[in-house]
Structures are given as C-alpha cells and as structure tokens.
Amino acid sequence: MHNGILLTAAGWIRDILTFLFGNELLVNILMTLVGIGAIISVILTSAIVFTYAERKVCAFMQVRIGPNRVGGRFGLLQPVADMLKLMSKEDIIPNGCDRVVWSLSPMLLFVPSALIYSFFPFDDGAILADVNVGLFLLLAISSQAVLPFLMGGYASNSKYAMIGGMRTVAQMLSYEAPMAFSLIGVVMLTGSMKMSAIVEAQATHTWFVLLQPIAFVIYLITATAETNRTPFDLVEDESEIVAGPFTEYSGMRWALFFLAEYANLLSISILTTTLFLGGWHGPVLPGAVWFWLKVLVMIFVFMWFRWTFPRTRIDQMLSFSWKVLLPLALVNMLLTGVGIYLYQSLC
Amino acid sequence: MPKTETFILNMGPQHPSTHGVLQVQLELDGENIVHAKPIMGYLHRGIEKLLESRTYVQGVPYTDRLDYVSSMNNNFGFCRVVEELAGIEVPRRAEYIRVIMAEFNRIASHLIFIGTLAIDLGASTGMLYTFRDREDILDLFNLVCGARMTFHYIRIGGVAADVQPEFVAQAYAFLDKVPHFMEEYNQILSGNEIFTRRLKGVSQLSVEESLAYNMTGPNIRAAGLPYDLRKVDGYSVYPEFSFAVPVGKKGDNWDRYQVRFREIFESAKIIRQALDGLPEGEFMAKIPKVLRPPKGEVYSRTESTRGELGFYIVSDGSTKPYRVHIRRPSFVNMQGLDAMCRGMLIGDSVAAFSSIDPLMGEVDC
Amino acid sequence: MTDYMSKTRLAELQKEFPAVHYDPEAAQPAVYVPADSLLALLKFLREDESCRFTRLADLTAVDYKDCFEMVYHLFALEDMTWIVVKVKLEHGQPVVPSITPVFPGAEFEEREVYDLMGIDFTGHPDLRRILLADDFIGHPLRKDYVQELPPVVPRIRKGGR
C-alpha cells in the first residue's frame, strides 16, 4: 500500500542492487548506506540552500536586496562563494586551549543533529528507523547537543566562550522539559511514539495543530530556543558575548557549527511538520512534495522570527520557560486527557 | 561552602556592541555585574592640543571629528563660541539655516541611537530601517554642503553656502515622512513585548543620581528633569520656535529611548517652523580675513544631541586660540555607566551602554 | 536666559569667604580662591540656599606658563546663574584638592586634567590616566610639552609560534 515516490525510488535501487549482488544481507546493508547517504546529502544541500534563503529572507525583511553579485542577478552562487571562503580560511587554534576537546566539539555537535534524521518520515514509508519509541529517542538524542557546546565553550580558553557554554546548558536544559511535556499531548492522542503512527493518526483524524494548539505554540517556542535562534539566541549572542562557544573557531571548524545549526533548523521544521502539520499527507500532490512544502513554510516561519524579534535576557528566558511554558504544558496534558476521556465516553 | 569569586570580563575595545573603541571592564559574579569600569582613550587624537596650533577658522573642521554622527551640532557650538569671543553678529537667515541643520542632524543622530539600541538588543532589522531613513537626511546634507559625514558647513559668521529651493522642497518632503517611519519603528520595536521588557525598569537613574554624575541631554531628561539648553539658555533663534521638551518618569532605559524617540518629533516641529519662517538676507556675516578675537575667555554651551556641549576658549589676542577645552557630553555621561550597570545582567550592560548613547570620537576627543 | 552672578551677591560671598578675591571692574568677574579653601567655597556655593549652584558645567585647567589655573564653571538650575571659580596653582608642583566630595561628577574631568595637564588632585578616588596610555610620559596640554617620537622598540614574542 506504500506508494510514495521516495519509496518507489528506493525499490528501484534495491532491484538494481539485487541484480548486481544477489546476496540479500549485502543488499540490505547497502540499502542502509544509501539511506544514510541520502540523509547526509539532504542535510548538506539544505545547509547550502538555507544560507542563501536566510540571506534573502533577511534582506527582504530588512529592506535590502541581499546577495546579488555572485551568480547572476539573484546571487544564486553566493553559498558556493561562502563555502569557498570558509574552506580557504586559516584554521586558527587559540593559545592555551584544550586541543582535543576543542577540535572534537564541532564534530560531536554535528552527530546528534544528523542522527535524528533517521527517525523522520520523509514520505510514505520513507523512514530509516521506524522504531517504537521514535519520538522519545529523538528527544533524547537531540538533547545531547548540549555537551559539544559546553565542550567548545570550556576548551576555547576564552571568557566569552565559557559564558556562552554555561548559557547553553541553562537554556537547553530548561527548554527540554516544556518541549517534552508539550509533545506528550501528541503522544496521548496517537497512543504511540512511533513516528509513522503519529503521521497516520493525523491522516485519519485531522492535523494535530488543530487538536493541540497550545502544544503547538509551546513546541514552536521551545524549538526556537533549542535551535538557539532569535529571540532565544543567547548562546551565540553577538552583541553581548561575541559568538558564545564559537568565538574562537574559524574556517571549516566554524562551518561545522554552522552546518549543525542549519541541520537543527531543518530537523526542527521537519519535526513540526511531522507532529503537527500532518507529515507527508495532503491532497493531489505526491507525499514528498507536500512534506517539503510544509517544511519550507516552517523554515520561513523560523527565519521570520529571527529577523523580527529582539533577543530576550537570560533571566527572562529562564523564568519564561519554568514559570509559563512548563505549567502551560502540564495544563495542556490535563486538558488532552480530559478531552480524550470525553471523546471516548461520548462516541 | 565553596569559595566563589568574581571575574573580570574585558568587553572591548574590539567588541561588536561598544560603538567604537571603548573598553568596559565588567566585574562579573556569574551573569551579574558587580562593577562596570569604562576604559577609554583608544581614539584620543588630542584635538584640544591641535586646536591650539590652528587658527580659529581652521579649527572648525576639527570639531566635525568630535561627535561624527552630529557634526553640525559641533560646528554650531564651536562657531557660537568664537563669534561670542570676537563679537560677530550672525545674520538671521544664517541662524535659521543653522537651526535647521542642527535639528536635522539631531534627528539623524537619534535615528542612529534607535538603530544601535535595536541591534544591541538583537533586533538587527530595526537598525536597517532607521539607517534607511537617516540616509534621506544625509542626502539633504549632501545637497547643501556636498558632504555626508563631516560637513564643515556651519562656519564662523554664518554658513558655508545658502540653501537652495530644492533643498527646502526635499526637506519638507522628509518632514512629511517623519510620522510614517516613526510609526514603523513603533510597530517593529516599541510595540514588541520583548523589546519593552528588555528596557523597562532596567538601569534606573534618578534625577539626583543623574545630577551627581553630571549627566546632561536626553539622559537627564529621561529621569524627569526638563533640562534642555535650547530652552534654558535659549541660544540662537530657538526662543522663536515652539517645541516641547520630552521628559521621562523613571529614568530607566525605556525612558531614555522614549525621550529620544519623542525628540525626533520635536526636532521635526522646529525644522518645519524654521523652514516656514526662513528670512531673506545674507547667509554669512562680514568677518575679517584674519580673525583676531580680543583677549579674554568664553565658555559657551549648546545642546548637542548627547547633552551639554561646551567650548571654553581662552584667547590671547592672536589668530590662534591660547587654550580650547571641550566639554564633551558623552565623556561626562560615561560616569553614569557604573551605577547603571551595577547589579544588572550582562545583557543589560549592553542596553545601558547603548542608552547613554556615547560616541567614542567625542569621549576620547 | 542666563545671567552671571550679580555684584552684590559676589560681595556677600567675599564677606563669607575673606580669602576669595575678584576683579570688581570686570563684567563677569571670575572668583579666585586659594586651593585650601576651594572645597569649602564650592560646598557653600552648592548647598547654601542663596546660591544652589548644583551643576558643575565644566571643569578644566589652563597653563599660563608661569602658573596653572583651574577653572570651574558652576550653574544654578533654579535662578539660572553662572559663576566661574578659579584656582591659581604653582607651576612646579600643582596640587589642588579634588572636588569629587562635593561634585561626584567631576571624577572623569579631573582625571582628564590630571592626564593632559599634570595637576595632582588630592582625595580623588581613582586618579589614573584616562585618555593616554598608562605608560605615557609627560602631559601634552602643557605649553612646555615637546613631543618626542617614541623610540622604536622591536617587539619580539618569546616562544611564539
């Protein structure tokens, strides 16, 4: 019954591989590698596309033109120029830094950002690891991103970086809780943490954004905080602590941070789409197209946030999480429970 | 009980939000500020000493370099002192043009203030909007004196060139736009909950404290004291115009922002009246080729965009001033920084710093 | 509109402080006061009901080659009056009491005068150079200051990469 384009394409690749090798185990391993390759290429491509998109969206909001020199009138080759610049930059290693931890940090940051892509249903059946506790694993892995930030901040031997690292811990930990609690509403409605089941439930009923508006808003706010984007970009707050944990990084190491940031942006948008906007479901157009349309809309929303809002202050941000979002998420859980009970007893 | 100690964070001189080359030594207890010590002098050029070896007329361009975002006000202040010293009577048309230019420059400077405050609070979009509108004012100045930054337009005895009819037309067009773009800032900045919460109730200075730290300009008016030299001294032709002096209530960052915000409207009001009543006549007084003011000394002050800009000139009767002292408002206002930052968070220090609105060219002289 | 302090009140001031002297002929006579009674005079001017000079508009020093002159411009907010207080100082070792106990806002300006003119302020809370580098030699605003080019010292980093 699965008939998405992605799955059909995967079927063709599997056919070709079976024809070439024949051994089922080998083909399975190769298919996994193909999946991983596809996800990595999605992340890398999205980083390239989003740098350009972010520049253009930002320019649009700031009454500017944006990139317009490299690659024609619309500056389409700007990301390439950016990339070349980053690659050709000197790799500066600050004096007195903890070399091992310092160089590990950008790489480690990229791991959880990339890992969570295996739980995303890109299309009907196109999901790398459709495990029973998908959502739970996803949250658990994405929260690991705290550590590389702290490592980078600690190892840089810079006060700005250290403050940034400490802020990351405070921010990520305090926004982890309301985020998890807001998603419990979705899980309660679905009765499963399996990602494909959550999408299926939205196809049979309606998008969860309508059933769980409070959870959606809480999730949106916490997601912005988790990705360190304005108004919660206190970690890399350029007007106070220069660039937080990234202050001392340059060249490709910095580019890795950047890559992880855009990977996080994409994953957060995908998660919103999957959990609240019905995933790949939609009329007429194929599933993959719907999926990417929704994701791009969400990405635009996040960019819109970033280029409109000022930054909050650390005390405001923390008290907002613990005093507003968390109680609200708990109330939302209660309301969802009552709603489900009423629905079941009435129908 | 573990022992804790404060640590020193040197903000600047290379830092994105110190508006130039200022260093602020923050003594931090976690995120809380214990002390904020400004360390300046990175831009010191010795203008006071330089002026001693230039003639009075040659000295005017140096004042451009003091507060380089409101150079007209500096030219104005310096020329007024020299005229007072030499007893030069300035034609009324020149006075009107001077007031128009000074007020236009005040608007431009306050637009920069709003923009930099916005960017220091992370709203970089707001900054682009204010700079867009400041561009129109710079175009106006370009039209009238061919420069956009260091004008040297207000000269001793008058102004460098008469205003043309197209300048007047463009100036009116700009004044018509003022309420529109101010409404835009209201929507993107003042109306934003995060923006107001970042500013309200933060870094309060009462009237007594502001007086004690010798603060002037919008910083003291925000505390509630209507101390505006345009009203107090009534210099030049300012008494002929009707305008209000906006004051704040609590003296927090929000009041400092609001006072400047409302001053833009008042400046626009003054410019409109001045343009309406622009008298005909000479734009430059007859001044001798070699200016030799009589022996004596004068302290005279004007309301620059940042506060009381005073020039103290001692003349020994020669063509060059014997001693020039410049009372730079930004420099004196910096004394309030420590009191404004104490007990606040790192994020507030940036806002407090921005709300004093210092300009390093003026602080370091 | 602002005025200078009237002659009658200046005469009263001289009665209060006999050490004070001024030129009665001049239109706007500056009040000369010896350094040791400066603080008392300023305190009186600031706090006495008849004066209330609450604002220190300007503080500076002038080098007259044979002596230094500290110049204080005071302004009364209520009755909009000016007064100029001056202190004559020896050229050899100029020392004047700091007025920060009376006007705390004079701190930076006194530091500036100390930095550029080399006048010592006793009782100043934090008397360091403010505009020039800490290791600068000389006081550039003095008339006898001759600028000498700093010797070129090659900068060698020890153990640098």
Side-chain angles (χ1 to χ4, degrees):
Chain A
M1 90 148 265
H2 293 314
N3 52 6
I5 346 176
L6 291 181
L7 211 66
T8 323
W12 290 346
I13 296 173
R14 176 175 283 273
D15 286 348
I16 293 166
L17 289 174
T18 326
F19 176 73
L20 285 176
F21 299 104
N23 186 334
E24 203 185 333
L25 180 69
L26 188 64
V27 170
N28 277 340
I29 293 172
L30 283 176
M31 279 309 290
T32 316
L33 287 180
V34 168
I36 293 171
I39 282 174
I40 296 285
S41 60
V42 162
I43 296 174
L44 294 181
T45 324
S46 69
I48 291 171
V49 174
F50 293 162
T51 43
Y52 177 75
E54 180 113 56
R55 275 164 177 257
K56 272 294 185 193
V57 169
C58 154
F60 169 67
M61 307 229 165
Q62 300 185 339
V63 288
R64 296 188 286 121
I65 304 170
N68 59 354
R69 298 291 162 90
V70 197
R73 256 188 75 201
F74 300 103
L76 286 170
L77 291 180
Q78 187 65 44
V80 181
D82 285 348
M83 212 161 63
L84 282 176
K85 182 203 81 175
L86 284 175
M87 279 191 209
S88 58
K89 264 189 156 180
E90 188 192 350
D91 179 28
I92 300 166
I93 300 170
N95 265 344
C97 73
D98 191 333
R99 288 288 276 277
V100 180
V101 179
W102 190 75
S103 39
L104 264 180
S105 159
M107 296 176 222
L108 279 186
L109 186 63
F110 189 61
V111 173
S113 325
L115 206 56
I116 50 176
Y117 279 78
S118 47
F119 307 111
F120 290 146
F122 291 93
D123 191 2
D124 196 359
I127 175 166
L128 206 60
D130 197 7
V131 287
N132 282 336
V133 286
L135 189 58
F136 179 72
L137 256 182
L138 196 149
L139 286 178
I141 293 174
S142 67
S143 63
Q144 295 307 309
V146 180
L147 204 57
F149 273 112
L150 186 60
M151 281 165 65
Y154 159 75
S156 292
N157 187 27
S158 156
K159 284 170 181 171
Y160 292 121
M162 192 65 206
I163 297 174
M166 302 309 270
R167 279 185 178 184
T168 321
V169 179
Q171 176 172 342
M172 295 240 178
L173 286 185
S174 49
Y175 276 80
E176 207 68 46
M179 182 189 229
F181 279 112
S182 74
L183 293 186
I184 282 179
V186 171
V187 175
M188 283 164 80
L189 287 178
T190 320
S192 165
M193 289 205 207
K194 203 171 174 173
M195 297 298 272
S196 58
I198 292 173
V199 179
E200 281 307 325
Q202 294 184 71
T204 46
H205 296 95
T206 176
W207 290 4
F208 284 156
V209 64
L210 301 175
L211 295 177
Q212 291 279 332
I214 305 175
F216 179 68
V217 171
I218 296 173
Y219 173 75
L220 217 55
I221 294 169
T222 50
T224 349
E226 287 283 303
T227 45
N228 297 327
R229 291 176 73 82
T230 330
F232 303 103
D233 61 340
L234 282 110
V235 172
E236 45 198 286
D237 185 344
E238 82 273 359
S239 66
E240 292 159 33
I241 51 171
V242 190
F246 322 141
T247 310
E248 305 293 335
Y249 288 88
S250 64
M252 273 321 276
R253 290 182 206 271
W254 184 80
L256 273 175
F257 277 118
F258 204 62
L259 195 65
E261 194 187 314
Y262 279 106
N264 281 333
L265 174 65
L266 181 64
S267 66
I268 284 294
S269 306
I270 291 178
L271 201 56
T272 325
T273 312
T274 312
L275 297 178
F276 293 101
L277 301 178
W280 71 81
H281 286 289
V284 190
L285 294 169
V289 176
W290 268 114
F291 177 80
W292 282 108
L293 266 181
K294 292 172 186 174
V295 168
L296 288 179
V297 167
M298 280 320 295
I299 283 175
F300 177 73
V301 169
F302 282 120
M303 287 184 179
W304 192 1
F305 281 180
R306 173 158 184 178
W307 297 112
T308 313
F309 289 134
R311 187 180 298 119
T312 52
R313 212 168 50 210
I314 185 113
D315 60 328
Q316 292 170 343
M317 184 192 73
L318 294 182
S319 62
F320 183 61
S321 165
W322 293 109
K323 292 180 187 163
V324 180
L325 291 180
L326 192 61
L328 211 60
L330 291 172
V331 168
N332 181 53
M333 260 167 71
L334 178 73
L335 289 179
T336 313
V338 171
I340 291 172
Y341 176 75
L342 287 177
Y343 182 76
Q344 279 171 349
S345 52
L346 288 176
C347 304
Chain B
M1 190 64 191
K3 189 170 158 276
T4 64
E5 48 184 64
T6 58
F7 79 104
I8 304 281
L9 180 72
N10 279 302
M11 252 193 178
Q14 299 100 4
H15 189 275
S17 60
T18 50
H19 299 206
V21 280
L22 174 78
Q23 180 184 354
V24 184
Q25 217 171 51
L26 294 178
E27 192 182 342
L28 293 173
D29 178 12
E31 285 261 349
N32 293 305
I33 299 167
V34 185
H35 279 299
K37 206 188 284 174
I39 297 171
M40 45 202 118
Y42 292 94
L43 206 60
H44 180 63
R45 293 147 294 175
I47 286 185
E48 290 181 4
K49 184 80 178 172
L50 282 168
L51 286 175
E52 285 176 15
S53 54
R54 303 289 186 279
T55 62
Y56 289 93
V57 179
Q58 284 172 338
V60 184
Y62 282 89
T63 59
D64 279 331
R65 275 81 181 164
L66 282 172
D67 178 354
Y68 42 77
V69 304
S70 66
S71 305
M72 289 285 189
N73 284 293
N74 299 340
N75 290 168
F76 195 8
F78 185 73
C79 292
R80 270 184 49 77
V81 184
V82 178
E83 282 151 13
E84 201 176 322
L85 199 60
I88 297 168
E89 192 70 33
V90 181
R92 267 178 68 76
R93 185 175 174 84
E95 287 282 14
Y96 267 70
I97 296 172
R98 284 174 172 198
V99 166
I100 292 170
M101 294 305 160
E103 293 306 314
F104 262 132
N105 216 332
R106 192 184 308 276
I107 296 181
S109 172
H110 283 348
L111 287 180
I112 287 197
F113 163 77
I114 296 174
T116 47
L117 180 68
I119 205 168
D120 284 346
L121 296 182
S124 44
T125 304
M127 175 264 221
L128 266 295
Y129 278 79
T130 60
F131 273 63
R132 174 197 66 187
D133 300 318
R134 173 175 173 259
E135 205 65 16
D136 292 341
I137 300 180
L138 296 188
D139 285 346
L140 279 172
F141 288 149
N142 195 8
L143 197 66
V144 85
C145 65
R148 290 160 49 85
M149 192 86 174
T150 44
F151 309 110
H152 188 207
Y153 175 68
I154 296 176
R155 306 269 170 94
I156 295 166
V159 292
D162 204 354
V163 293
Q164 304 301 318
E166 59 258 50
F167 170 83
V168 178
Q170 272 198 38
Y172 274 122
F174 177 80
L175 291 181
D176 291 336
K177 276 197 327 200
V178 170
H180 296 116
F181 67 66
M182 295 309 277
E183 180 55 32
E184 240 174 1
Y185 307 154
N186 255 333
Q187 280 170 6
I188 197 165
L189 296 173
S190 325
N192 190 313
E193 183 72 17
I194 301 174
F195 191 77
T196 49
R197 274 179 187 247
R198 278 294 299 272
L199 295 178
K200 274 186 183 162
V202 176
S203 304
Q204 287 194 12
L205 279 187
S206 64
V207 177
E208 288 73 32
E209 277 172 306
S210 309
L211 273 175
Y213 292 117
N214 222 345
M215 293 177 109
T216 44
N219 292 312
I220 199 166
R221 291 199 285 276
L225 188 73
Y227 182 68
D228 188 328
L229 298 179
R230 291 174 293 175
K231 287 271 188 203
V232 173
D233 280 8
Y235 61 90
S236 189
V237 285
Y238 276 110
E240 296 174 22
F241 308 122
S242 76
F243 62 98
V245 178
V247 288
K249 288 193 186 77
K250 285 190 286 192
D252 54 2
N253 284 346
W254 175 252
D255 279 342
R256 280 186 278 273
Y257 166 73
Q258 276 296 316
V259 161
R260 290 190 176 90
F261 198 88
R262 277 146 58 199
E263 266 180 24
I264 292 180
F265 288 108
E266 300 303 326
S267 290
K269 224 190 266 175
I270 296 175
I271 297 170
R272 193 176 281 280
Q273 293 171 38
L275 283 173
D276 287 342
L278 193 62
E280 292 298 318
E282 287 291 307
F283 61 87
M284 189 76 177
K286 294 241 175 317
I287 61 163
K289 281 237 159 49
V290 181
L291 193 64
R292 279 182 212 275
K295 232 174 147 166
E297 55 177 68
V298 166
Y299 174 79
S300 176
R301 51 187 193 171
T302 52
E303 180 76 21
S304 129
T305 40
R306 279 159 186 79
E308 176 177 337
L309 175 72
F311 284 91
Y312 174 69
I313 299 186
V314 181
S315 161
D316 58 353
S318 71
T319 55
K320 295 170 184 169
Y322 184 75
R323 166 94 170 95
V324 182
H325 174 72
I326 310 166
R327 186 220 188 263
R328 293 100 64 198
S330 305
F331 175 71
V332 183
N333 287 350
M334 287 298 287
Q335 291 175 124
L337 186 67
D338 188 25
M340 282 161 77
C341 287
R342 219 173 287 144
M344 301 289 161
L345 298 163
I346 299 179
D348 295 327
S349 76
V350 176
F353 186 76
S354 201
S355 76
I356 297 181
D357 194 19
L359 211 113
M360 295 327 286
E362 196 179 55
V363 172
D364 294 342
C365 184
Chain C
M1 283 294 157
T2 53
D3 319 303
Y4 199 76
M5 198 170 172
S6 64
K7 295 275 162 63
T8 49
R9 284 172 64 198
L10 280 174
E12 284 166 26
L13 191 70
Q14 197 172 24
K15 240 174 257 165
E16 192 85 23
F17 290 91
V20 159
H21 68 94
Y22 64 95
D23 177 14
E25 303 296 311
Q28 299 188 344
V31 176
Y32 283 90
V33 63
D36 48 0
S37 52
L38 171 72
L39 265 183
L41 175 72
L42 289 184
K43 207 176 173 64
F44 175 81
L45 286 174
R46 183 190 150 87
E47 274 154 25
D48 191 78
E49 280 306 313
S50 65
C51 306
R52 303 289 296 153
F53 287 97
T54 44
R55 275 193 48 68
L56 173 74
D58 186 39
L59 183 164
T60 187
V62 187
D63 179 7
Y64 284 111
K65 286 179 184 146
D66 51 340
C67 66
F68 285 110
E69 249 183 38
M70 286 296 302
V71 187
Y72 303 90
H73 285 85
L74 305 185
F75 183 64
L77 279 176
E78 280 94 9
D79 42 3
M80 305 228 180
T81 327
W82 282 103
I83 188 169
V84 182
V85 177
K86 289 189 176 183
V87 184
K88 264 198 163 45
L89 300 172
E90 292 286 313
H91 207 283
Q93 261 204 333
V95 182
V96 72
S98 165
I99 62 162
T100 41
V102 188
F103 292 103
E107 186 186 335
F108 277 21
E109 284 170 297
E110 284 191 345
R111 274 178 71 185
E112 191 194 2
V113 170
Y114 165 75
D115 188 358
L116 301 176
M117 203 63 102
I119 292 173
D120 230 332
F121 292 91
T122 49
H124 189 280
D126 183 23
L127 197 63
R128 289 176 297 125
R129 285 190 181 271
I130 189 164
L131 293 177
L132 300 173
D134 288 341
D135 52 357
F136 193 90
I137 298 167
H139 303 285
L141 275 186
R142 286 189 178 187
K143 289 287 174 186
D144 56 1
Y145 175 77
V146 187
Q147 187 180 23
E148 280 174 29
L149 291 175
V152 181
V153 182
R155 305 183 92 186
I156 303 163
R157 286 182 67 183
K158 280 179 189 159
R161 275 177 291 128

